[in-house]
Amino acid sequence: MSNVEQHPEEEVSAAEPADRPEILEPREVPLGGQRALMVRRTLPQRARSLLGAWCFADSFGPTPASAARTMDTRPHPHTGLQTVSWLYAGKLEHRDSVGSLSSIVPGQVNLMTAGRGIQHSEVSTEDARGLHGVQLWVALPEAHRWTEPSFEHYVPPPVTHGDATVRVFLGDLLGQSAPLTTFSPLLAAQIDLPAGGEVRLPVSSAFEHGLLVDAGEPALNGIEVGADQLCYVPPGSGELVIRAGDAAVRALLLGGEPLGEEIVMWWNFVGRSHDEIVAFRREWQSEVIGGANPSGRFGVVRGYDGDPLPAPVLPNATLHPRH
């Protein structure tokens, strides 16, 4: 998914782990023009820019099943990150400039590594019009951010633990290991709990964790979390206890070791400096939008019926670190 805000903020993120849990509220962001898909963004925000290496989290839907195509994200670039697409309902078709063509439905994950540069499109399909899910980004650490772009797809098996059904789609949990490429220690899993249910999850105490709630109002280690909120838990916890209230719970558990690096993120680029972001934008506008070098950094998405997405105008400001 692209961040298609017309005036995206530039950010320097160097978040330090907190010493106590935090509740992060989402903000609504329109993706697109007149018929924009509204998303609920919990990362990044002023209170917290990073959770481990997770640097971006958008929740979207549910959209009406009677709606026409609900997502048509034109080819757009990424650098220095991985995108993670996970659905609760609907179907998405992914195309990218390394030649990938892949559809996902609920219970499947698409992982795209942008590395030094890639472009891709995502389109919801007419045979599954209702759309509901999350788009996540992972910042690549300095040692790997120039890696070659790639794409992977995985279907995690559901496992039962306590009262919960758990699907581990990145990293390791409960003896389940997702066979996907990661470049820093990470975790992502869907947790489903019936009303009144409880699950105790043994986790790495070196990780920061976050519970991103889609449905229900669970308590995480005794802290109540509302729908669309993200509850951040700092390193030090070796067990996470999730309890459902009067309604069934569906949530994503995210985790990772603190990145420990400063990143600069603007639009769809992750870099390390203002000048680097400016250079990425210049290449995209010249090589792809202007057609100067279609075989350059970002390559070509084949099979998409439409033009790639131009980059917004950069703000006339110099970056200042945000902690």
Side-chain angles (χ1 to χ4, degrees):
M1 182 187 290
S2 173
N3 177 10
V4 294
E5 289 181 279
Q6 291 301 304
H7 305 286
E9 292 183 2
E10 290 182 279
E11 297 188 40
V12 176
S13 301
E16 296 294 331
D19 59 2
R20 61 177 60 87
E22 303 170 355
I23 294 291
L24 303 181
E25 298 283 352
R27 64 184 178 96
E28 285 199 333
V29 178
L31 295 188
Q34 187 175 10
R35 298 181 179 179
L37 175 68
M38 296 298 296
V39 302
R40 302 171 298 281
R41 183 163 298 163
T42 46
L43 283 177
Q45 56 179 271
R46 294 191 181 280
R48 174 151 299 277
S49 297
L50 294 166
L51 191 163
W54 299 100
C55 62
F56 186 92
D58 274 0
S59 301
F60 53 88
T63 60
S66 60
R69 179 175 289 169
T70 51
M71 182 184 292
D72 187 355
T73 308
R74 295 155 60 183
H76 57 277
H78 289 291
T79 60
L81 57 82
Q82 294 179 291
T83 66
V84 182
S85 300
W86 182 260
L87 293 181
Y88 303 126
K91 186 176 182 180
L92 281 178
E93 179 186 88
H94 165 100
R95 297 176 184 266
D96 64 39
S97 54
V98 298
S100 311
L101 172 59
S102 176
S103 294
I104 57 166
V105 296
Q108 303 177 357
V109 63
N110 279 352
L111 174 69
M112 186 184 74
T113 300
R116 61 173 177 79
I118 198 170
Q119 62 166 304
H120 76 131
S121 64
E122 283 188 308
V123 176
S124 56
T125 62
E126 293 185 359
D127 58 339
R129 288 181 175 176
L131 191 63
H132 189 187
V134 294
Q135 176 73 54
L136 307 163
W137 295 357
V138 178
L140 293 175
E142 177 64 34
H144 299 287
R145 68 190 186 97
W146 302 109
T147 191
E148 290 298 305
S150 62
F151 177 83
E152 298 167 80
H153 176 90
Y154 175 56
V155 183
V159 297
T160 300
H161 185 75
D163 296 324
T165 300
V166 181
R167 292 172 172 84
V168 181
F169 58 93
L170 212 63
D172 302 276
L173 182 68
L174 302 176
Q176 301 295 305
S177 182
L180 298 175
T181 305
T182 56
F183 298 89
S184 60
L186 292 171
L187 169 65
Q190 180 174 322
I191 311 293
D192 291 274
L193 269 176
E198 177 183 294
V199 64
R200 293 177 176 269
L201 299 170
V203 295
S204 171
S205 60
F207 277 26
E208 302 173 290
H209 290 93
L211 190 70
L212 179 58
V213 176
D214 178 68
E217 295 185 346
L220 174 61
N221 287 4
I223 300 169
E224 294 185 359
V225 193
D228 298 322
Q229 292 181 335
L230 188 150
C231 181
Y232 167 86
V233 178
S237 295
E239 181 181 65
L240 299 177
V241 181
I242 305 172
R243 293 189 178 94
D246 295 335
V249 166
R250 177 167 60 195
L252 293 189
L253 177 64
L254 305 176
E257 290 186 5
L259 183 62
E261 297 181 14
E262 185 175 89
I263 68 169
V264 180
M265 185 165 65
W266 177 82
W267 195 44
N268 296 305
F269 304 127
V270 170
R272 292 299 186 274
S273 70
H274 176 89
D275 289 345
E276 201 170 75
I277 298 295
V278 170
F280 290 149
R281 182 191 181 278
R282 183 186 302 119
E283 283 185 85
W284 174 253
Q285 290 296 107
S286 172
E287 295 182 354
V288 179
I289 303 303
N293 184 15
S295 61
R297 177 187 299 277
F298 301 104
V300 177
V301 175
R302 303 194 183 279
Y304 179 86
D305 185 17
D307 296 326
L309 188 68
V313 176
L314 277 160
N316 186 23
T318 303
L319 288 174
H320 297 286
R322 285 176 51 190
H323 300 281

